[in-house]
Amino acid sequence: MRPTAKFSISFGLVTIPVAAYNATDTSASVSFVRIHTADGGRVRNQPVCSLEGVEITQDEIGRGYKPGDGDTVVPLSDEDLDALPLPTAKTLTILAFVAGGDIDPLQMGKGYYLGIDSPAAAKPYVLLREAMERHQRVGLGKIALHGRETLAMIRPMEGALVMQVLLWPHQIRSMDGVLPERQAEVARNEVSAAEALMDSFGELSEDDLHDHYRESLEEIVAAKLAHREPEFPAGEEQPAGEVMDLMSALQDSVRAAKRSRGEDEEAGPASGRTAKKSAAKKSTAKKSTATETAATKTAAKKSAAKKQTAAKKTASRGGRKAG
């Protein structure tokens, strides 16, 4: 793996030369090419000079900057950019250490693995990594990458340092017009049912992290090349239409999640009506048993009382005969 950039991390008076490597592989994602629908020919973007109207080569393409809204473009060479008086051009200076949860996920961009760029960088590299791990903080700084300055976050991960490019705060759009004008109100039992549904989801599996879209797309392509119909595994049909009874939908979702994992629906706290019916049956059975037991005791007492009365009468008759 080749580094995409080399610079130094400035940690107070400590300098750490590092090399940045792409942490993500965008080539593995699904991508399409543009074609001419009439004959299937590729549609390409050809670099054409707007003044001469002729196609130019890559060696003839340079950088330019528009200072305003007009048509004026100022050419800039590599020497001009290297002469910028910015310390961030070759150094990432850490400005602050903050908790990782303080970073808005909307700001997070591309990630890079950071490796040492010289043997002397090994010790300060490990020092910064372990200090952030023990302090549970991430470093924030600025660095110039690919011709522009950007915010960056450095954090420890599995024994290495990782740099995450961050968007500037002004690049995050406001949410005006996104939220509904009238907020919906939900009941407490609906929130509890939603929490029960969240608990029933369980952990992610390897199949959940599989790119099924790309696999299905490749099957369609293979089928077209072989002049056959695509073959897909049978899957569960997703219910369509608007859900009107929110509470019933939540409870049904919990039961479906439990069934998919082979769990007993009556075992969980969110089994709803099933659990209530079971509890009612148990309560009725207890009452019935208690009633039968009381009736048995009453009958036994009456029988014992009758026997005692009969015994007294017999003893009394025997006494009179003996006299």
Side-chain angles (χ1 to χ4, degrees), residues 229-286:
E229 291 294 325
E231 300 176 359
F232 300 115
E236 295 184 4
E237 293 185 2
Q238 298 297 324
E242 184 180 358
V243 177
M244 301 302 294
D245 189 345
L246 181 59
M247 196 65 188
S248 297
L250 291 171
Q251 292 174 344
D252 291 343
S253 299
V254 171
R255 286 191 285 270
K258 289 182 178 294
R259 284 197 303 270
S260 66
R261 296 198 305 272
E263 295 181 7
D264 184 6
E265 293 182 23
E266 297 184 2
S271 56
R273 295 185 294 269
T274 305
K276 290 181 180 179
K277 289 181 180 179
S278 178
K281 288 181 180 179
K282 290 181 180 179
S283 177
T284 304
K286 287 182 179 179

Side-chain angles (χ1 to χ4, degrees), residues 111-288:
Y112 297 87
Y113 297 132
L114 299 181
I116 60 173
D117 196 33
S118 71
K123 187 170 183 178
Y125 181 97
V126 174
L127 173 66
L128 178 59
R129 183 198 68 205
E130 293 191 359
M132 284 195 292
E133 286 180 346
R134 293 182 59 181
H135 205 50
Q136 296 184 352
R137 291 290 186 270
V138 299
L140 290 182
K142 294 191 295 184
I143 184 68
L145 286 177
H146 311 302
R148 64 187 64 187
E149 190 176 57
T150 180
L151 286 173
M153 174 185 68
I154 295 179
R155 60 186 176 91
M157 188 186 77
E158 298 180 3
L161 291 177
V162 174
M163 182 180 72
Q164 204 89 29
V165 172
L166 301 178
L167 298 176
W168 297 100
H170 70 268
Q171 292 179 294
I172 305 299
R173 296 179 175 178
S174 72
M175 291 189 292
D176 293 343
V178 175
L179 297 176
E181 296 180 359
R182 183 178 179 181
Q183 294 293 328
E185 295 183 0
V186 293
R188 182 175 298 179
N189 63 332
E190 291 175 333
V191 177
S192 299
E195 292 174 345
L197 176 57
M198 292 169 62
D199 293 336
S200 69
F201 269 59
E203 298 180 355
L204 286 173
S205 65
E206 292 185 3
D207 188 64
D208 293 328
L209 302 177
H210 185 70
D211 189 354
H212 294 285
Y213 180 84
R214 179 185 181 122
E215 190 176 80
S216 301
L217 181 64
E218 290 176 347
E219 167 59 20
I220 292 178
V221 173
K224 284 182 174 293
L225 292 174
H227 304 287
R228 60 174 175 82
E229 291 294 325
E231 300 176 359
F232 300 115
E236 295 184 4
E237 293 185 2
Q238 298 297 324
E242 184 180 358
V243 177
M244 301 302 294
D245 189 345
L246 181 59
M247 196 65 188
S248 297
L250 291 171
Q251 292 174 344
D252 291 343
S253 299
V254 171
R255 286 191 285 270
K258 289 182 178 294
R259 284 197 303 270
S260 66
R261 296 198 305 272
E263 295 181 7
D264 184 6
E265 293 182 23
E266 297 184 2
S271 56
R273 295 185 294 269
T274 305
K276 290 181 180 179
K277 289 181 180 179
S278 178
K281 288 181 180 179
K282 290 181 180 179
S283 177
T284 304
K286 287 182 179 179
K287 289 180 180 180
S288 178

Side-chain angles (χ1 to χ4, degrees), residues 78-86:
D78 292 340
E79 290 75 13
D80 294 329
L81 298 178
D82 291 339
L84 290 173
L86 290 176

